[in-house]
């Protein structure tokens, strides 16, 4: 299963390289269902693997002068504060068994169900936005600072809770609100994901002793291979087609997780 997981990790890297998002939201299901990692540890593994992979991609964006450093600050600062706070103080407070409306739900199941809902919401947003062509390259506009802070905080909360770097939220925000071209949005997204992942890991530092480094480094190395493959194909495939296709993939995985955790036990 390690080999299968690493093959899938290459696909994760490809999505990061081509879309600047999506790879993180695939990582936790792969680690949990394919590589048999506990969901809580899987979110930390995700932050590590995707953080390193995004750093390499973000560094490439800086060298090629594609990253928007101003947007990194406005998004990154509120996001990293919330992700650190979430991983350090909120997640440890989540009990092993959660009681909701008279039902007892294990922490593992609750995290995966939350993750699936985030996946479904982001997939539908991606599909409908691309089908309606809502991301034209138009002149940039000024966005209220309160909205910028709220978006960054939301991304940080998602990153902290489910171990996703937030690219599936960052990309639509950068394109729809700031009207950045996709190439600049991808490079900027990768740097913000790197920052979020780094601070999330700092908040999870006590879990380092539990790491299976052979598994984690194998997975991370595979995502690095994938991101360079993604960069190669990024300028050769229609971005609209990729976004819609990836949106449907995320939707199907989100539905599968719900069925797996509630029906297919």
């Amino acid at each position: 299963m390690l080999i299968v997981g690493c093959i899938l990790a290459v696909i994760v890297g490809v999505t990061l390289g081509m879309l600047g998002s999506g790879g993180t939201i695939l990582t936790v299901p792969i680690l949990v269902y394919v590589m048999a990692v506990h969901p809580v540890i899987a979110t930390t593994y995700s932050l590590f693997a995707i953080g390193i992979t995004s750093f390499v991609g973000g560094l490439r964006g800086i060298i090629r002068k594609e990253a928007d450093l101003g947007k990194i600050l406005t998004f990154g600062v509120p996001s990293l504060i919330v992700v650190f706070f979430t991983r350090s103080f909120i997640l440890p407070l989540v009990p092993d068994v959660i009681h909701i409306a008279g039902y007892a739900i294990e922490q593992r199941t609750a995290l995966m169900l939350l993750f699936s809902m985030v996946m479904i919401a982001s997939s539908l947003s991606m599909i409908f936005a691309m089908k309606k062509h809502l991301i034209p390259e138009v002149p940039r506009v000024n966005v209220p600072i309160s909205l910028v802070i709220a978006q960054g905080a939301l991304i940080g909360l998602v990153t902290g809770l489910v171990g996703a770097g937030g690219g599936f939220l960052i990309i639509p925000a950068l394109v729809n609100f700031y009207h950045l071209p996709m190439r600049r949005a991808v490079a900027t997204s990768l740097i913000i994901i790197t920052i979020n992942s780094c601070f999330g890991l700092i908040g999870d530092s006590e879990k380092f002793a539990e790491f299976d480094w052979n598994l984690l480094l194998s997975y991370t190395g595979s995502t690095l291979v994938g991101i360079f493959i993604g960069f190669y194909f990024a300028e050769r495939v229609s971005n609209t087609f990729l976004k819609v296709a990836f949106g449907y993939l995320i939707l199907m995985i989100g539905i599968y997780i719900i069925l797996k955790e509630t029906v297919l036990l």
Side-chain angles (χ1 to χ4, degrees):
M1 297 311 291
L2 177 63
I3 294 175
V4 174
C6 287
I7 292 173
L8 294 174
V10 173
I11 297 175
V12 169
V14 170
T15 63
L16 276 173
M18 297 185 76
L19 303 174
S21 67
T24 51
I25 209 168
L26 291 174
T27 292
V28 171
I30 291 172
L31 290 171
V32 173
Y33 296 120
V34 177
M35 308 179 86
V37 178
H38 188 280
V40 174
I41 295 296
T43 61
T44 307
Y45 280 12
S46 173
L47 293 172
F48 180 92
I50 300 307
I52 290 180
T53 306
S54 297
F55 171 75
V56 173
L59 186 61
R60 174 180 179 270
I62 292 175
I63 294 174
R64 293 163 63 99
K65 297 182 179 179
E66 294 174 348
D68 191 318
L69 299 182
K71 300 302 179 290
I72 293 170
L73 290 177
T74 55
F75 257 82
V77 172
S79 182
L80 68 87
I81 292 174
V82 174
V83 71
F84 177 76
F85 183 83
T86 301
R87 299 299 294 191
S88 299
F89 303 106
I90 296 179
L91 199 58
L93 295 178
V94 179
D96 293 334
V97 178
I98 302 171
H99 296 275
I100 301 177
Y103 292 94
I105 304 176
E106 293 184 1
Q107 182 193 69
R108 175 192 184 282
T109 301
L111 283 174
M112 293 310 297
L113 288 176
L114 174 62
F115 198 87
S116 68
M117 288 186 285
V118 172
M119 293 182 77
I120 291 173
S122 63
S123 68
L124 292 176
S125 173
M126 187 181 301
I127 292 168
F128 291 129
M130 292 305 299
K131 281 189 172 182
K132 294 178 181 179
H133 303 288
L134 294 181
I135 58 168
E137 293 186 11
V138 297
R140 303 183 192 183
V141 296
N142 293 323
V143 180
I145 188 64
S146 59
L147 181 58
V148 175
I149 294 174
Q151 290 171 345
L154 174 62
I155 292 167
L157 180 63
V158 172
T159 299
L161 287 176
V162 300
F168 57 94
L169 296 173
I170 297 169
I171 290 290
L174 291 176
V175 173
N176 292 327
F177 287 98
Y178 291 112
H179 303 294
L180 291 185
M182 277 301 300
R183 187 173 298 177
R184 288 180 67 81
V186 168
T188 305
S189 172
L190 290 174
I191 297 175
I192 296 173
I193 290 171
T194 301
I195 295 171
N196 285 349
S197 298
C198 178
F199 276 80
L201 280 171
I202 292 174
D204 269 1
S205 58
E206 75 284 353
K207 294 189 178 74
F208 289 178
E210 304 174 39
F211 280 13
D212 180 341
W213 287 103
N214 178 56
L215 181 152
L216 182 55
L217 293 179
S218 297
Y219 187 93
T220 303
S222 300
T223 60
L224 285 170
V225 172
I227 198 171
F228 284 105
I229 296 174
F231 288 149
Y232 176 79
F233 285 107
E235 299 177 358
R236 293 169 173 80
V237 181
S238 166
N239 184 73
T240 300
F241 170 79
L242 284 174
K243 280 282 189 180
V244 173
F246 189 75
Y248 279 114
L249 173 62
I250 295 296
L251 177 63
M252 289 187 291
I253 294 175
I255 293 173
Y256 170 78
I257 291 176
I258 291 177
L259 295 175
K260 175 70 174 178
E261 297 296 335
T262 58
V263 180
L264 306 175
L265 298 176

